[in-house]
Amino acid sequence: MPKVDTVGDNYYKPLEQAEAFGAALFWVVSILSIAALFVDKAAYPLAYDILQILFIICVLLFFFQGQIQKLYLFPRAEDKRRQDLLSNSYSVALTHEETVGYYNNDQTNPLKRLAASVMESAYFTREIVRKMLVGQRTKTIGYLAIYLVAVLNRSTNLEVLAVAAQAVFSEDIIARWLRMEWLRIRSEQVFDNLNRLFTGKQAFSRPAAQSQAIDLFSFYETTKSTAAILLSSRVFHKHNVRLTEEWEQIRGRLGI
């Protein structure tokens, strides 16, 4: 049966497009802010005014884009994914969206199916973020190295250093790297704890196992919302076959 993911198509693709637009705006703002430093206002007043107007417009666009992404698009997508997960686990219709083949386990007990689906999601999140971190770490180290060289060079203009610091320590470089590392660590914790829960063969009719499963579901959802990292669809499609095969081996070993 072919895989169908209307949640991804209807909610995560617009989020991905908004994030790409925001990343482009970030660099436009950074370039304009540096360019304005090298334009002599007295000698080229028109060029200076145009740069300032463009800078203000781009800053405002960047601000509103960020707010729309963080306060509307990302929560909306996560809400729909969570509703779909609970609908799949408990065989209820919390949303009209439909996914086929997104969650892969054979559990009939609703809470046990939820735990298995969260474990699968945490596994994929961990592995995809690991791949994404290769490029993010390289980019972060590269920008930090360039910035340190500029700082150590006494001839570097202080205004340029200030603008560069704003770019390097912004949401798009240092903060994003830290959030990705945090998402990887927390996803690994969810996966490992659920692995122990299933390995222990605890009956999901017992309150202890039920509370652990619900706690880990909440822990994972909180992690995703706080990190606010959109997983790369390119990395997912590139490694999906291998990761799916590995997940099938894991759930086969655990009997889920």
Side-chain angles (χ1 to χ4, degrees):
M1 182 180 295
K3 181 177 179 179
V4 177
D5 182 17
T6 58
V7 174
D9 293 338
N10 295 335
Y11 300 100
Y12 281 93
K13 281 189 177 179
L15 177 58
E16 189 173 345
Q17 293 168 353
E19 185 172 74
F21 179 65
L25 273 178
F26 167 78
W27 289 112
V28 170
V29 169
S30 299
I31 292 170
L32 287 174
S33 60
I34 293 175
L37 299 176
F38 293 95
V39 176
D40 190 332
K41 182 179 180 180
Y44 307 99
L46 180 60
Y48 182 84
D49 289 343
I50 291 174
L51 274 176
Q52 292 299 323
I53 292 171
L54 287 174
F55 176 72
I56 292 171
I57 291 173
C58 289
V59 166
L60 290 173
L61 285 174
F62 185 59
F63 170 77
F64 286 114
Q65 178 276 330
Q67 299 311 304
I68 291 171
Q69 179 178 323
K70 293 175 184 176
L71 300 179
Y72 176 65
L73 292 176
F74 194 89
R76 182 184 68 159
E78 288 295 302
D79 287 344
K80 290 298 181 181
R81 183 65 78 197
R82 182 166 51 253
Q83 289 172 1
D84 179 64
L85 169 61
L86 292 172
S87 296
N88 178 272
S89 300
Y90 285 88
S91 299
V92 296
L94 294 179
T95 175
H96 67 278
E97 303 294 338
E98 180 184 15
T99 58
V100 177
Y102 190 85
Y103 303 107
N104 299 282
N105 66 82
D106 298 326
Q107 300 308 302
T108 55
N109 178 291
L111 190 57
K112 197 170 184 180
R113 183 171 180 81
L114 174 64
S117 296
V118 171
M119 184 178 179
E120 179 185 5
S121 295
Y123 172 73
F124 272 81
T125 298
R126 182 192 68 179
E127 294 301 314
I128 293 170
V129 172
R130 277 180 175 176
K131 297 297 181 182
M132 292 171 63
L133 275 168
V134 174
Q136 187 66 34
R137 287 167 180 162
T138 302
K139 182 172 76 171
T140 302
I141 291 172
Y143 282 119
L144 279 175
I146 293 172
Y147 181 71
L148 288 175
V149 169
V151 169
L152 295 174
N153 187 349
R154 294 184 178 181
S155 64
T156 305
N157 190 305
L158 288 178
E159 292 178 328
V160 174
L161 285 178
V163 173
Q166 184 179 5
V168 171
F169 293 96
S170 69
E171 284 288 321
D172 205 55
I173 300 178
I174 298 291
R176 179 177 174 81
W177 165 62
L178 291 174
R179 286 187 286 117
M180 288 175 67
E181 295 284 4
W182 187 77
L183 176 60
R184 176 191 60 80
I185 292 169
R186 299 259 295 192
S187 297
E188 189 165 0
Q189 290 176 359
V190 172
F191 177 82
D192 289 342
N193 286 330
L194 283 169
N195 184 61
R196 283 192 287 271
L197 186 61
F198 281 111
T199 301
K201 305 297 182 183
Q202 297 188 53
F204 272 74
S205 58
R206 295 180 178 178
Q210 292 177 353
S211 60
Q212 287 181 59
I214 294 173
D215 179 55
L216 289 169
F217 164 66
S218 302
F219 184 90
Y220 180 62
E221 292 298 320
T222 302
T223 296
K224 290 192 298 174
S225 298
T226 304
I229 294 294
L230 180 62
L231 299 182
S232 169
S233 58
R234 180 186 61 82
V235 174
F236 170 75
H237 291 302
K238 181 178 180 180
H239 299 281
N240 183 38
V241 174
R242 176 182 63 82
L243 293 177
T244 299
E245 290 176 352
E246 291 177 0
W247 168 248
E248 290 297 323
Q249 294 174 2
I250 293 169
R251 78 183 189 95
R253 173 175 55 82
L254 296 175
I256 59 174

